[in-house]
Amino acid sequence: MLLEPRGEVSLTVEQTRILMALTRTASTLSACGVITIITIFCMSRHFRNPMHRLIFINAFFNAFDVTCTMISVSGPAAGNKSALCQFQGFLNQMFPVADVYWTLVMAIDVYLIVFHCYDTDSLRRLEWKYMLGISFLTFIPALVLLFIDTEEKGPMYGSVTIWCAIAPKWVLFRIVIYYVPIWTSIVVIIILYCMVGIEIVKRRQALKSINTDSEIFLDDTVMPAEEPAAIPVKVSPSIHHASQGSTDGSVFTTKPSISRLEVPRRSSLSFRQYILMPLFFFLALLTVWVAPSTNRVATFINPSFASFPLLVTVGTTGSLRGFWNALVFVAVGMKSWKRRKEEEEVALRPAASDRMRRSQE
């Protein structure tokens, strides 16, 4: 039957040693990633936009996740009812799911930016709600499962070969409480990004059609965070008349003058920081969850299924969550920082040229 208990995979001493070495090496990389995120966020003001802030908060959740994966096979080796195994099972139930929820709230923020014109302050006011909500949704189930123990099936948390989690004898709970929330969140994230992508394409097409004569194109701006800057351009009366009645919250507006068009100044609310970073964060999430989900489906269909390479993949990718988060945090953040530096240099050039001209006069 589909719901019969799924047994553990029998590993040789050599396989156990290999698995422990790989998972702990990956956990060390994640620990370095967590430290990197916290250090850079605290030391550099260029890495403090709302998306960076969410990854920073999630880094503290990742720290507990690293603790879980660093224990590795020592949890199962200690025995299902041991304090170490139960502690690892609690961590394994709470913090991987929390990582998925943080990716979900990043997608929600992107949706709010594009469709509801949320600015930086509005997004920051949501952070404490996210923290409370995610902590509640993950901590309560993980804590309750810690106290479930029956004579027939034993404790809820037990060995799943590579670490302790919801035991194979409780397979239905493993699916409902663990994998269903994770993949439901992933599906919602995909839907939100599809909606955002369609909306951005629509806005870009509308902007291109209006700015054909003026040759103005907003390279990567999603929405203005500051007051728009008026730029002199030649706008036809028909375009001016149509834009006067626009109330759809689009990223461009025009003044009641046929000689000026308002476009948003470049700000922190840009495509790279508010769309690209969460998207890469989501792609990293998928790389983490494909292998364990594949393994779970395979063992659910065939209880005798066993694959050491797949177990190695599950243990390694599952231990790299903090590393992937740091990689996205630094890589996308550095691009945004370099772009801002270039824009500041361009903005300073006219002033420098003006001072040089005056000195020559």
Side-chain angles (χ1 to χ4, degrees):
M1 294 179 63
L2 288 178
L3 297 182
E4 68 178 274
R6 267 56 189 164
E8 297 182 65
V9 178
S10 298
L11 300 178
T12 65
V13 175
E14 183 64 22
Q15 288 175 330
T16 302
R17 188 180 295 113
I18 292 173
L19 193 57
M20 181 173 62
L22 291 175
T23 54
R24 288 183 176 174
T25 300
S27 298
T28 301
L29 291 175
S30 285
C32 293
V34 169
I35 294 172
T36 300
I37 291 172
I38 295 174
T39 302
I40 292 178
F41 183 89
C42 292
M43 296 184 64
S44 176
R45 62 182 179 85
H46 297 290
F47 290 80
R48 294 184 184 177
N49 68 62
M51 293 303 167
H52 280 112
R53 289 173 63 87
L54 292 181
I55 299 179
F56 169 73
I57 297 171
N58 187 33
F60 293 95
F61 287 75
N62 288 150
F64 289 98
D65 188 33
V66 169
T67 303
C68 169
T69 57
M70 188 67 76
I71 295 172
S72 186
V73 295
S74 296
N80 288 349
K81 293 193 176 183
S82 67
L84 183 62
C85 183
Q86 293 300 299
F87 175 65
Q88 187 183 37
F90 170 81
L91 296 178
N92 214 343
Q93 176 61 33
M94 179 174 177
F95 294 102
V97 179
D99 186 71
V100 177
Y101 286 158
W102 279 111
T103 308
L104 174 61
V105 299
M106 290 181 71
I108 292 174
D109 272 5
V110 172
Y111 174 84
L112 293 175
I113 290 169
V114 174
F115 287 92
H116 298 280
C117 299
Y118 272 50
D119 58 13
T120 301
D121 292 334
S122 299
L123 296 177
R124 286 184 178 179
R125 285 194 291 270
L126 294 175
E127 289 174 2
W128 70 271
K129 298 180 181 179
Y130 291 151
M131 290 182 64
L132 288 179
I134 291 174
S135 298
F136 177 81
L137 290 175
T138 56
F139 175 75
I140 298 301
L143 181 65
V144 170
L145 299 184
L146 194 62
F147 296 97
I148 297 179
D149 186 353
T150 66
E151 293 183 2
E152 180 184 358
K153 295 184 177 181
M156 179 69 76
Y157 294 134
S159 172
V160 290
T161 306
I162 56 178
W163 42 49
C164 289
I166 296 179
K169 292 183 179 180
W170 299 90
V171 60
L172 183 60
F173 284 86
R174 177 75 167 168
I175 295 171
V176 173
I177 300 177
Y178 194 74
Y179 284 100
V180 168
I182 288 171
W183 281 100
T184 299
S185 299
I186 290 175
V187 170
V188 172
I189 293 170
I190 293 174
I191 293 173
L192 290 176
Y193 280 136
C194 288
M195 294 173 62
V196 167
I198 293 171
E199 180 65 18
I200 289 177
V201 169
K202 289 181 179 179
R203 294 189 185 188
R204 285 180 179 274
Q205 290 176 345
L207 195 59
K208 284 181 181 179
S209 64
I210 286 182
N211 292 330
T212 300
D213 294 332
S214 61
E215 296 182 354
I216 294 178
F217 178 68
L218 300 184
D219 170 54
D220 63 354
T221 302
V222 176
M223 56 162 287
E226 305 170 0
E227 289 297 321
I231 297 178
V233 295
K234 181 179 179 181
V235 182
S236 66
S238 60
I239 294 177
H240 160 67
H241 177 73
S243 62
Q244 276 186 305
S246 176
T247 59
D248 60 353
S250 58
V251 297
F252 54 88
T253 56
T254 58
K255 282 187 176 182
S257 168
I258 61 173
S259 61
R260 298 176 74 81
L261 175 69
E262 287 185 358
V263 298
R265 293 190 185 102
R266 292 197 180 277
S267 66
S268 60
L269 294 181
S270 68
F271 176 82
R272 284 182 174 84
Q273 292 179 345
Y274 282 73
I275 304 295
L276 198 59
M277 180 184 291
L279 187 58
F280 282 151
F281 201 77
F282 172 64
L283 293 177
L285 175 75
L286 284 180
T287 63
V288 169
W289 287 105
V290 167
S293 298
T294 301
N295 183 62
R296 181 55 50 191
V297 171
T299 55
F300 186 74
I301 295 174
N302 180 13
S304 62
F305 175 82
S307 172
F308 179 69
L310 185 55
L311 280 179
V312 169
T313 305
V314 172
T316 304
T317 57
S319 302
L320 285 173
R321 278 182 282 267
F323 172 77
W324 292 125
N325 294 351
L327 192 63
V328 174
F329 182 90
V330 173
V332 181
M334 285 298 295
K335 280 191 174 183
S336 301
W337 177 67
K338 288 180 180 179
R339 185 177 182 83
R340 282 196 299 270
K341 292 288 288 184
E342 292 173 356
E343 290 173 353
E344 290 174 1
E345 291 175 0
V346 171
L348 291 175
R349 285 174 189 169
S353 300
D354 186 56
R355 285 195 300 269
M356 184 178 295
R357 181 177 54 80
R358 290 181 180 180
S359 63
Q360 291 175 351
E361 292 176 353

